[in-house]
Amino acid sequence: MRTALSILYRTAEILGAVALAAIAVLIVTQVASRLFGRMVPGADELAGYCMAASFFLMLGPALRRGAHIRVGVLVERLHGAPRRAFELACLGFGTALSAYFAWYWARMTYDSYDFGDLSQGVLPIPLWIPQALMAVGLIVLVIALLDDLLAVLRGGQASYQQAGMQSEG
C-alpha cells in the first residue's frame, strides 16, 4: 500500500511539474510570437488553467514534504498527549474540510461535463478538463491527509513532521 501511495504522490507531483513547464512554454511562445507581430490565441487562458492544475496537483505532495506553511505557535508549545490530540484534531478537521471541497468540486466537474460547459475565451475549452485536474489534486490531498491522520492515530508521526526533522538534521 505504501508503494502505491508513493507512486500516487509522485505522479501528482510530476503532473504538477508538467503543468508548470507548460506555463513556461506558453509564455515563451507568446513572447516569441509577439516579436514577429503574431499572437497565440488562448495562451493566457491555457496558462491560467495550467497554473490552477499545478497548484492543486501539488497540494498532496507538498503536504507530504512538509512544504505547506503551518502556523505552529500553539502546537509547538504542546508536548506528549496534548500535542498528539491537537495534531489529530487538526488532521481530522483538515481531512473533513478537504474531502467536502473535493466531493463538491468533483460534482461540479461532472456537471460541467454533463452540461457541455465551455470557456468563454478565445478558445472554447471544455471546462471539465481543467476542473478535473483540480479535482484530482484535491483527491490526492485528501488521501495524503488521511494517510497522515492514520499514521498519527497509530502512534506515529505525520509525514510533514518527518520531513521537518529530516530538513533540520
Side-chain angles (χ1 to χ4, degrees):
M1 180 61 113
R2 177 58 40 210
T3 303
L5 287 172
S6 295
I7 291 170
L8 174 70
Y9 301 139
R10 188 68 176 155
T11 302
E13 195 171 39
I14 290 168
L15 289 173
V18 167
L20 280 176
I23 294 169
V25 168
L26 285 164
I27 290 171
V28 168
T29 303
Q30 185 78 328
V31 168
S33 66
R34 286 182 182 170
L35 292 174
F36 298 104
R38 301 276 182 202
M39 190 176 133
V40 178
D44 294 338
E45 282 178 83
L46 292 172
Y49 293 144
C50 287
M51 179 62 76
S54 69
F55 175 80
F56 280 88
L57 287 167
M58 290 187 183
L59 283 173
L63 174 74
R64 302 286 303 165
R65 291 180 185 268
H68 284 264
I69 297 172
R70 291 178 2 121
V71 179
V73 173
L74 179 60
V75 75
E76 289 172 1
R77 294 175 191 256
L78 299 174
H79 301 285
R83 181 176 181 144
R84 185 173 179 273
F86 190 74
E87 202 73 56
L88 283 170
C90 289
L91 283 167
F93 179 73
T95 301
L97 187 63
S98 297
Y100 177 82
F101 188 32
W103 171 257
Y104 281 98
W105 193 268
R107 283 186 55 189
M108 183 188 70
T109 301
Y110 177 77
D111 287 344
S112 291
Y113 172 79
D114 196 33
F115 299 140
D117 286 345
L118 298 173
S119 65
Q120 296 180 1
V122 176
L123 296 177
I125 298 168
L127 286 177
W128 68 267
I129 296 171
Q131 290 171 349
L133 293 171
M134 294 167 68
V136 167
L138 286 168
I139 291 166
V140 171
L141 175 63
V142 171
I143 292 169
L145 284 164
L146 272 174
D147 193 2
D148 280 344
L149 179 62
L150 291 174
V152 175
L153 278 171
R154 290 186 192 126
Q157 288 186 320
S159 61
Y160 51 83
Q161 291 171 321
Q162 294 170 2
M165 285 190 304
Q166 288 174 355
S167 67
E168 291 172 7

